[in-house]
Amino acid sequence: MAKRFQPGVISANDLISGKVIYLAANDNWVERLDEGEFITDEARAEVRLELALGQPEIAVGAYVAPAEATETGIRPAHFREDFRATGPSAPARKSWGIN
C-alpha cells in the first residue's frame, strides 16, 4: 500500500556540518524550516525530491518532511520534524569535536 502524500518541505542533512537543512523555492538549501519551500502538490514534491537527491555533495538523506502552513508560517506536522527543526536537545560536546 502506497503511503498517502502529506504536504511538506524537502529536508535533509548538510553533508559537512550534519545540520538539518531545507530546500528553498530558489533551489538553495536553508537552515530555517520557514524558509523552505512548502509543497502541497505530490508531483511537485517528487520533482523537488529528485533535485535534492541529485545533490549528494551538499545534502544527504533527503525526504519530504510533513509540515503545515499556519498563520505564523510553516510548522512541522510531526514531533520528529519539530525536534529536527529546533536543533539538538543536548549541547554538542567538545570531546566529540563539535563546536
Side-chain angles (χ1 to χ4, degrees), residues 2 19 32 35 43 48 51 55 62-63 65 86:
K19 290 181 178 177
R32 293 175 42 122
E35 294 176 351
R48 300 299 284 161
L51 173 71
Q55 300 179 7
Y63 65 99
T86 56

Side-chain angles (χ1 to χ4, degrees), residues 33-94:
L33 173 66
D34 59 356
E35 294 176 351
E37 178 185 9
F38 182 64
I39 304 169
T40 58
D41 178 74
E42 186 171 6
R44 172 84 176 158
E46 290 176 8
V47 169
R48 300 299 284 161
L49 184 57
E50 188 172 324
L51 173 71
L53 292 172
Q55 300 179 7
E57 71 282 3
I58 300 171
V60 294
Y63 65 99
V64 180
E68 56 192 18
T70 69
E71 291 180 8
T72 59
I74 302 170
R75 297 288 174 250
H78 190 276
F79 70 89
R80 177 181 186 265
E81 301 309 324
D82 192 30
F83 292 151
R84 287 177 48 84
T86 56
S89 57
R93 301 168 107 183
K94 287 191 174 194

